[in-house]
Amino acid sequence: MLTRIKQLGQSKFVRNVAIVATGTAGAQAITMAFAPVITRLYGPEAFGLLGTFMAILGVLTPIAALTYPIAIVLPKSDTDAKKLAKLSALVALIVTSIAAAVLLTAGDWIADALSLGAVAGFLLLIPLAMLFAAFQQIFTQWLIRKKQFRITAKVAVLQAFIMNSAKAGAGWFHPVGAVLIVIAVGGQALHALLLWAGTRSKEAALPDNDESAGTLRELANRHKDFPLYRAPQVALNALSQSLPILMLASFFGPAAAGFYTLGRTVMGVPSTLIGGAVGDVFYPRIAEAANNKEKLFNLVLKATGALAAVGFVPFFVVIATGPWLFSFVFGAEWVDAGEYARWIALWMYFMFMNSPSNKTIPVLKIQGFYLFFTVFTILIRLVGLGVGYFVFSSDLVAIAIFGVSGAVINVVIIAIVLLMAKKFDSKRSSDG
């Protein structure tokens, strides 16, 4: 047992996960330390306004650079990776300009059509936030490629401290949703700026003697499965996760959206802390394994099993004690958020386990299938939320159906990726 622990401690993969997790843990610890103060300053309605704005932004952000940043990790050549970063930046500028033009001419009509009038006055901030988020993705993927996990960890902690201090400070004087939205957009810009500074370090710099294997056009065509399949899949997946906020805000009002926003934020801590750290380190590892003809099935299975064991206690504590826990930590007015969190925790536990499978999908080149599957799942979630509103007239029933369906969907994704990884390994064995 001691030998096994020592081996784990010496593993570069485990050390990198620990570095990312430590930075993310610091950022999440700061966020949760400020949360009891911020929730008592702003209230559910303000959080609902912020949640609605971020839900819209979450759907649009994946298409800002058409997910080309995700491809930065894949090329063997650093020069080609840098060209992909330039391509991503160019695409982001074009897409966000188009988004700004659309919102300038039809923003009010779109808000009315979607019954989202509460955020109509903030829609023009969305293209700006999209652009900042795209550059954040570009710099993050470059640092992941260069395995500079310490830099991303430090940036996460610093950004969390500055943003939460701003929310708490502004809340003493003007505790409204508009303040939270403006700070959130500023946070996107700050995060991108800090990551850019990290890419200027010696360790993350581009080698002078690296050879390129393609032009921008050739690289765009070589990785065309990202804009064709991954971008719409990620956008649809974001839409499926944002549906509760958008529909709760439209059907039940901003307070219900606020309850969900807080529940989703709290339950996202383990996923961001451990699942995100494992995913960021696992992605270049699984890509390297594919290039070196290693067995992918075993890597995905071990990582998934480890996450299942690690996540069991924190998620199921919330399932058992959600209402009491939220009332105690955030204030009595947030007890309904604890009821939401019980069902969100069920879904998030399996999404937490899904991180290695999600990172393996582009390596297996099954992004077309994943797009189709995401369309199917979004229909399931839409029907579930509709049943909760139209049949039961209950926001809690809607969230319960959403949580259960989300859990089942993630189990299916994990099973499919494991099956495809096994087929991938068998095919290479027979070819080799």
PDB file of all heavy atoms in Angstrom, residues 108-126:
ATOM      1  N   ASP A 108     -33.533  43.788 -28.870  1.00  0.00           N
ATOM      2  CA  ASP A 108     -34.788  43.919 -28.123  1.00  0.00           C
ATOM      3  C   ASP A 108     -35.811  42.885 -28.576  1.00  0.00           C
ATOM      4  O   ASP A 108     -36.534  42.301 -27.754  1.00  0.00           O
ATOM      5  CB  ASP A 108     -35.359  45.330 -28.294  1.00  0.00           C
ATOM      6  CG  ASP A 108     -34.512  46.387 -27.592  1.00  0.00           C
ATOM      7  OD1 ASP A 108     -33.759  46.012 -26.679  1.00  0.00           O
ATOM      8  OD2 ASP A 108     -34.607  47.569 -27.979  1.00  0.00           O
ATOM      9  N   TRP A 109     -35.869  42.654 -29.871  1.00  0.00           N
ATOM     10  CA  TRP A 109     -36.818  41.668 -30.398  1.00  0.00           C
ATOM     11  C   TRP A 109     -36.466  40.272 -29.891  1.00  0.00           C
ATOM     12  O   TRP A 109     -37.356  39.497 -29.503  1.00  0.00           O
ATOM     13  CB  TRP A 109     -36.789  41.679 -31.926  1.00  0.00           C
ATOM     14  CG  TRP A 109     -37.700  40.651 -32.520  1.00  0.00           C
ATOM     15  CD1 TRP A 109     -39.045  40.752 -32.763  1.00  0.00           C
ATOM     16  CD2 TRP A 109     -37.318  39.322 -32.939  1.00  0.00           C
ATOM     17  NE1 TRP A 109     -39.531  39.583 -33.302  1.00  0.00           N
ATOM     18  CE2 TRP A 109     -38.497  38.686 -33.421  1.00  0.00           C
ATOM     19  CE3 TRP A 109     -36.121  38.622 -32.956  1.00  0.00           C
ATOM     20  CZ2 TRP A 109     -38.480  37.389 -33.913  1.00  0.00           C
ATOM     21  CZ3 TRP A 109     -36.113  37.322 -33.448  1.00  0.00           C
ATOM     22  CH2 TRP A 109     -37.292  36.730 -33.924  1.00  0.00           C
ATOM     23  N   ILE A 110     -35.177  39.939 -29.874  1.00  0.00           N
ATOM     24  CA  ILE A 110     -34.745  38.630 -29.387  1.00  0.00           C
ATOM     25  C   ILE A 110     -35.112  38.460 -27.919  1.00  0.00           C
ATOM     26  O   ILE A 110     -35.612  37.405 -27.499  1.00  0.00           O
ATOM     27  CB  ILE A 110     -33.221  38.458 -29.591  1.00  0.00           C
ATOM     28  CG1 ILE A 110     -32.890  38.381 -31.087  1.00  0.00           C
ATOM     29  CG2 ILE A 110     -32.720  37.198 -28.882  1.00  0.00           C
ATOM     30  CD1 ILE A 110     -31.402  38.417 -31.390  1.00  0.00           C
ATOM     31  N   ALA A 111     -34.867  39.497 -27.107  1.00  0.00           N
ATOM     32  CA  ALA A 111     -35.186  39.424 -25.678  1.00  0.00           C
ATOM     33  C   ALA A 111     -36.683  39.235 -25.457  1.00  0.00           C
ATOM     34  O   ALA A 111     -37.101  38.439 -24.605  1.00  0.00           O
ATOM     35  CB  ALA A 111     -34.701  40.679 -24.969  1.00  0.00           C
ATOM     36  N   ASP A 112     -37.503  39.941 -26.235  1.00  0.00           N
ATOM     37  CA  ASP A 112     -38.961  39.802 -26.095  1.00  0.00           C
ATOM     38  C   ASP A 112     -39.419  38.419 -26.541  1.00  0.00           C
ATOM     39  O   ASP A 112     -40.287  37.801 -25.904  1.00  0.00           O
ATOM     40  CB  ASP A 112     -39.674  40.876 -26.930  1.00  0.00           C
ATOM     41  CG  ASP A 112     -39.498  42.269 -26.346  1.00  0.00           C
ATOM     42  OD1 ASP A 112     -39.186  42.368 -25.141  1.00  0.00           O
ATOM     43  OD2 ASP A 112     -39.656  43.256 -27.091  1.00  0.00           O
ATOM     44  N   ALA A 113     -38.848  37.924 -27.631  1.00  0.00           N
ATOM     45  CA  ALA A 113     -39.254  36.618 -28.157  1.00  0.00           C
ATOM     46  C   ALA A 113     -38.935  35.493 -27.181  1.00  0.00           C
ATOM     47  O   ALA A 113     -39.675  34.504 -27.100  1.00  0.00           O
ATOM     48  CB  ALA A 113     -38.569  36.355 -29.499  1.00  0.00           C
ATOM     49  N   LEU A 114     -37.858  35.645 -26.429  1.00  0.00           N
ATOM     50  CA  LEU A 114     -37.444  34.610 -25.469  1.00  0.00           C
ATOM     51  C   LEU A 114     -37.915  34.902 -24.053  1.00  0.00           C
ATOM     52  O   LEU A 114     -37.541  34.192 -23.115  1.00  0.00           O
ATOM     53  CB  LEU A 114     -35.916  34.465 -25.482  1.00  0.00           C
ATOM     54  CG  LEU A 114     -35.278  34.020 -26.806  1.00  0.00           C
ATOM     55  CD1 LEU A 114     -33.763  34.021 -26.702  1.00  0.00           C
ATOM     56  CD2 LEU A 114     -35.793  32.650 -27.220  1.00  0.00           C
ATOM     57  N   SER A 115     -38.739  35.951 -23.898  1.00  0.00           N
ATOM     58  CA  SER A 115     -39.253  36.358 -22.573  1.00  0.00           C
ATOM     59  C   SER A 115     -38.114  36.617 -21.594  1.00  0.00           C
ATOM     60  O   SER A 115     -38.163  36.226 -20.438  1.00  0.00           O
ATOM     61  CB  SER A 115     -40.190  35.273 -22.012  1.00  0.00           C
ATOM     62  OG  SER A 115     -41.284  35.054 -22.868  1.00  0.00           O
ATOM     63  N   LEU A 116     -37.080  37.292 -22.085  1.00  0.00           N
ATOM     64  CA  LEU A 116     -35.908  37.595 -21.266  1.00  0.00           C
ATOM     65  C   LEU A 116     -35.688  39.104 -21.186  1.00  0.00           C
ATOM     66  O   LEU A 116     -34.552  39.598 -21.267  1.00  0.00           O
ATOM     67  CB  LEU A 116     -34.663  36.911 -21.848  1.00  0.00           C
ATOM     68  CG  LEU A 116     -34.704  35.379 -21.886  1.00  0.00           C
ATOM     69  CD1 LEU A 116     -33.504  34.830 -22.639  1.00  0.00           C
ATOM     70  CD2 LEU A 116     -34.759  34.799 -20.478  1.00  0.00           C
ATOM     71  N   GLY A 117     -36.776  39.826 -21.039  1.00  0.00           N
ATOM     72  CA  GLY A 117     -36.703  41.282 -21.004  1.00  0.00           C
ATOM     73  C   GLY A 117     -35.848  41.820 -19.875  1.00  0.00           C
ATOM     74  O   GLY A 117     -35.300  42.925 -19.965  1.00  0.00           O
ATOM     75  N   ALA A 118     -35.684  41.057 -18.793  1.00  0.00           N
ATOM     76  CA  ALA A 118     -34.926  41.529 -17.640  1.00  0.00           C
ATOM     77  C   ALA A 118     -33.462  41.792 -17.981  1.00  0.00           C
ATOM     78  O   ALA A 118     -32.818  42.642 -17.353  1.00  0.00           O
ATOM     79  CB  ALA A 118     -35.012  40.513 -16.502  1.00  0.00           C
ATOM     80  N   VAL A 119     -32.933  41.081 -18.975  1.00  0.00           N
ATOM     81  CA  VAL A 119     -31.524  41.267 -19.333  1.00  0.00           C
ATOM     82  C   VAL A 119     -31.347  41.986 -20.662  1.00  0.00           C
ATOM     83  O   VAL A 119     -30.230  42.061 -21.180  1.00  0.00           O
ATOM     84  CB  VAL A 119     -30.784  39.905 -19.383  1.00  0.00           C
ATOM     85  CG1 VAL A 119     -30.744  39.260 -18.021  1.00  0.00           C
ATOM     86  CG2 VAL A 119     -31.414  38.970 -20.402  1.00  0.00           C
ATOM     87  N   ALA A 120     -32.436  42.534 -21.207  1.00  0.00           N
ATOM     88  CA  ALA A 120     -32.366  43.184 -22.517  1.00  0.00           C
ATOM     89  C   ALA A 120     -31.347  44.316 -22.528  1.00  0.00           C
ATOM     90  O   ALA A 120     -30.639  44.534 -23.520  1.00  0.00           O
ATOM     91  CB  ALA A 120     -33.745  43.711 -22.918  1.00  0.00           C
ATOM     92  N   GLY A 121     -31.248  45.041 -21.421  1.00  0.00           N
ATOM     93  CA  GLY A 121     -30.331  46.172 -21.366  1.00  0.00           C
ATOM     94  C   GLY A 121     -28.864  45.788 -21.311  1.00  0.00           C
ATOM     95  O   GLY A 121     -27.995  46.664 -21.425  1.00  0.00           O
ATOM     96  N   PHE A 122     -28.575  44.496 -21.150  1.00  0.00           N
ATOM     97  CA  PHE A 122     -27.183  44.051 -21.015  1.00  0.00           C
ATOM     98  C   PHE A 122     -26.718  43.212 -22.200  1.00  0.00           C
ATOM     99  O   PHE A 122     -25.587  42.722 -22.196  1.00  0.00           O
ATOM    100  CB  PHE A 122     -27.015  43.241 -19.727  1.00  0.00           C
ATOM    101  CG  PHE A 122     -27.492  43.948 -18.504  1.00  0.00           C
ATOM    102  CD1 PHE A 122     -28.720  43.639 -17.954  1.00  0.00           C
ATOM    103  CD2 PHE A 122     -26.736  44.944 -17.909  1.00  0.00           C
ATOM    104  CE1 PHE A 122     -29.178  44.287 -16.816  1.00  0.00           C
ATOM    105  CE2 PHE A 122     -27.178  45.601 -16.782  1.00  0.00           C
ATOM    106  CZ  PHE A 122     -28.409  45.279 -16.231  1.00  0.00           C
ATOM    107  N   LEU A 123     -27.574  43.050 -23.210  1.00  0.00           N
ATOM    108  CA  LEU A 123     -27.235  42.148 -24.312  1.00  0.00           C
ATOM    109  C   LEU A 123     -26.004  42.603 -25.089  1.00  0.00           C
ATOM    110  O   LEU A 123     -25.252  41.772 -25.618  1.00  0.00           O
ATOM    111  CB  LEU A 123     -28.431  42.002 -25.260  1.00  0.00           C
ATOM    112  CG  LEU A 123     -29.641  41.231 -24.707  1.00  0.00           C
ATOM    113  CD1 LEU A 123     -30.736  41.142 -25.761  1.00  0.00           C
ATOM    114  CD2 LEU A 123     -29.226  39.830 -24.256  1.00  0.00           C
ATOM    115  N   LEU A 124     -25.781  43.924 -25.180  1.00  0.00           N
ATOM    116  CA  LEU A 124     -24.634  44.401 -25.948  1.00  0.00           C
ATOM    117  C   LEU A 124     -23.302  44.106 -25.254  1.00  0.00           C
ATOM    118  O   LEU A 124     -22.236  44.246 -25.871  1.00  0.00           O
ATOM    119  CB  LEU A 124     -24.772  45.903 -26.204  1.00  0.00           C
ATOM    120  CG  LEU A 124     -25.838  46.287 -27.233  1.00  0.00           C
ATOM    121  CD1 LEU A 124     -25.898  47.795 -27.409  1.00  0.00           C
ATOM    122  CD2 LEU A 124     -25.566  45.615 -28.583  1.00  0.00           C
ATOM    123  N   LEU A 125     -23.354  43.700 -24.002  1.00  0.00           N
ATOM    124  CA  LEU A 125     -22.125  43.280 -23.324  1.00  0.00           C
ATOM    125  C   LEU A 125     -21.716  41.864 -23.723  1.00  0.00           C
ATOM    126  O   LEU A 125     -20.575  41.458 -23.508  1.00  0.00           O
ATOM    127  CB  LEU A 125     -22.315  43.340 -21.805  1.00  0.00           C
ATOM    128  CG  LEU A 125     -22.415  44.725 -21.169  1.00  0.00           C
ATOM    129  CD1 LEU A 125     -22.723  44.598 -19.676  1.00  0.00           C
ATOM    130  CD2 LEU A 125     -21.124  45.510 -21.379  1.00  0.00           C
ATOM    131  N   ILE A 126     -22.653  41.120 -24.293  1.00  0.00           N
ATOM    132  CA  ILE A 126     -22.384  39.713 -24.616  1.00  0.00           C
ATOM    133  C   ILE A 126     -21.269  39.549 -25.655  1.00  0.00           C
ATOM    134  O   ILE A 126     -20.362  38.725 -25.462  1.00  0.00           O
ATOM    135  CB  ILE A 126     -23.687  39.005 -25.046  1.00  0.00           C
ATOM    136  CG1 ILE A 126     -24.567  38.787 -23.816  1.00  0.00           C
ATOM    137  CG2 ILE A 126     -23.382  37.684 -25.738  1.00  0.00           C
ATOM    138  CD1 ILE A 126     -25.891  38.134 -24.107  1.00  0.00           C
TER     139      ILE A 126
END
